[in-house]
Amino acid sequence: MNGPREGTRGSERDRVVLVTGGGGGIGSAVCRRLADHRTTLAVADRDVEAAREVALEVRSAGGRAEPFGCDLSRPDDVEDLLKSVVARFGALHGLCTVAGSIRRGDITELSPGDWRASFEDNLDSVFLACRAAVPHLASAGGGAIVTIASGWGLRAGRRAAAYCAAKAGVVMLTQAMALDHAPAGIRANCVAPGDVRTGMLEREAHQLGRPVAEFYAEAADRPLGRIGEPHEIADAVRFLLGEESSFVTGAVLTVDGGGTV
Ligand SMILES: NC(=O)c1ccc[n+]([C@@H]2O[C@H](COP(=O)([O-])OP(=O)(O)OC[C@H]3O[C@@H](n4cnc5c(N)ncnc54)[C@H](O)[C@@H]3O)[C@@H](O)[C@H]2O)c1
């Protein structure tokens, strides 16, 4: 994954990548895109049925994938997950942390429980997965981590205070890991999507009591004039996990139709 030399790209097909939140809209697109490149996938999600469906889809298209049920906010679960993945596939070469959730509200609308849950799903999950993965990536001779933050981790949005704060944490955590783990051959990069057509975006409309079509039309108000599709985020992840980005670490790639410009 970190090959500094040209002409080594064929080895990408032998890698094992763990995708957290792999059962969701963006996570499943990441799994599909990586499977195109003959990567073995560990699909982890709290929603084990969704993870199972994604793994089945990858397998029926000729790929290699295994579902894993895991609450990424629980330290013991995450340790067990990493042990199971490495026991099953023998090594780990890449990690993409997609798991996350949103609770819309300003700080007077959010309860301390909403705040805690936002940090658990969006930031603790990244810390715990990366913490458990780094020793395995290092012992494979290096690897790549891609985290999914949000445009709202770079620039605040209204009535999403906990989410913005947690996603800003994801950005900085990623850059801190890029510094700390470069000597072990581990690159860490962040993708910051803008509004993407998934279940999460639809739930936001419901949380704000807005008709979905109207909410989507407003979200399209950005330079490229539309919301994003999950596969467009997956393409950026594939680049940052692969050897084409072997000299890229600590980067934050906005994939948002220009929404943060
Ligand atoms: N959809 C967007 O507009 C958008 C924009 C910017 C960033 N993002 C980020 O992209 C990521 C994926 O979002 P999505 O739109 O695909 O949403 P989604 O709801 O479709 O998928 C999220 C997945 O994460 C899983 N998950 C959440 N918390 C978990 C936990 N603690 N343990 C295990 N699994 C957990 C859910 O079960 C779900 O399958 C999230 O981190 C989100 O914040 C999404």
Side-chain angles (χ1 to χ4, degrees), residues 2 142 176-188 249:
N2 287 308
M177 294 189 298
L179 286 178
D180 287 337
H181 304 296
I186 298 169
R187 298 183 297 109
T249 196

Side-chain angles (χ1 to χ4, degrees), residues 21 23-27 45-47 70-73 98-100 121-122 148-150 163 167 193-196 198-201 203:
I26 292 174
D45 206 293
R46 183 160 61 188
D47 182 346
C70 177
D71 184 338
L72 271 299
S73 69
V98 189
D121 287 349
N122 292 300
I148 302 292
S150 166
Y163 183 79
K167 289 296 190 180
D195 292 314
V196 180
T198 68
M200 179 180 284
L201 199 60
R203 282 193 294 280

Side-chain angles (χ1 to χ4, degrees), residues 160-179:
Y163 183 79
C164 291
K167 289 296 190 180
V170 173
V171 171
M172 200 43 67
L173 172 61
T174 308
Q175 294 187 329
M177 294 189 298
L179 286 178

Side-chain angles (χ1 to χ4, degrees), residues 56-258:
L56 271 178
E57 187 191 330
V58 166
R59 279 196 215 157
S60 53
R64 215 172 154 217
E66 196 83 55
F68 295 86
C70 177
D71 184 338
L72 271 299
S73 69
R74 301 166 82 121
D76 292 347
D77 278 28
V78 179
E79 288 295 331
D80 288 348
L81 168 68
L82 268 293
K83 278 186 202 142
S84 304
V85 169
V86 173
R88 173 72 182 82
F89 298 121
L92 184 73
H93 307 100
L95 167 67
C96 181
T97 64
V98 189
S101 66
I102 195 162
R103 286 156 189 78
R104 294 294 303 260
D106 65 33
I107 58 164
T108 66
E109 295 167 317
L110 295 169
S111 68
D114 290 327
W115 174 267
R116 198 54 252 150
S118 286
F119 271 71
E120 284 174 356
D121 287 349
N122 292 300
L123 185 54
D124 292 14
S125 64
V126 180
F127 162 68
L128 292 170
C130 293
R131 181 176 180 275
V134 158
H136 297 294
L137 298 174
S139 64
I145 294 171
V146 177
T147 60
I148 302 292
S150 166
W152 282 359
L154 301 168
R155 204 181 74 178
R158 288 191 172 81
R159 295 183 68 196
Y163 183 79
C164 291
K167 289 296 190 180
V170 173
V171 171
M172 200 43 67
L173 172 61
T174 308
Q175 294 187 329
M177 294 189 298
L179 286 178
D180 287 337
H181 304 296
I186 298 169
R187 298 183 297 109
N189 291 292
C190 180
V191 171
D195 292 314
V196 180
R197 193 187 312 276
T198 68
M200 179 180 284
L201 199 60
E202 203 174 314
R203 282 193 294 280
E204 286 187 63
H206 296 314
Q207 286 177 19
L208 296 171
R210 304 281 308 283
V212 173
E214 192 183 294
F215 186 70
Y216 278 22
E218 244 170 56
D221 182 18
R222 60 189 64 233
L224 289 185
R226 62 176 178 85
I227 62 171
E229 301 298 332
H231 70 85
E232 296 178 291
I233 310 304
D235 283 332
V237 170
R238 193 204 57 72
F239 167 69
L240 290 171
L241 276 178
E243 288 165 6
E244 298 95 329
S245 62
S246 54
F247 199 47
V248 183
T249 196
V252 183
L253 178 55
T254 53
V255 185
D256 65 354

Side-chain angles (χ1 to χ4, degrees), residues 5-32:
R5 288 171 292 111
E6 289 183 61
T8 57
R9 286 179 187 168
S11 61
E12 271 190 47
R13 68 187 49 191
D14 301 316
R15 65 191 184 168
V16 178
V17 174
L18 167 62
V19 180
T20 76
I26 292 174
S28 61
V30 167
C31 291
R32 278 182 215 108

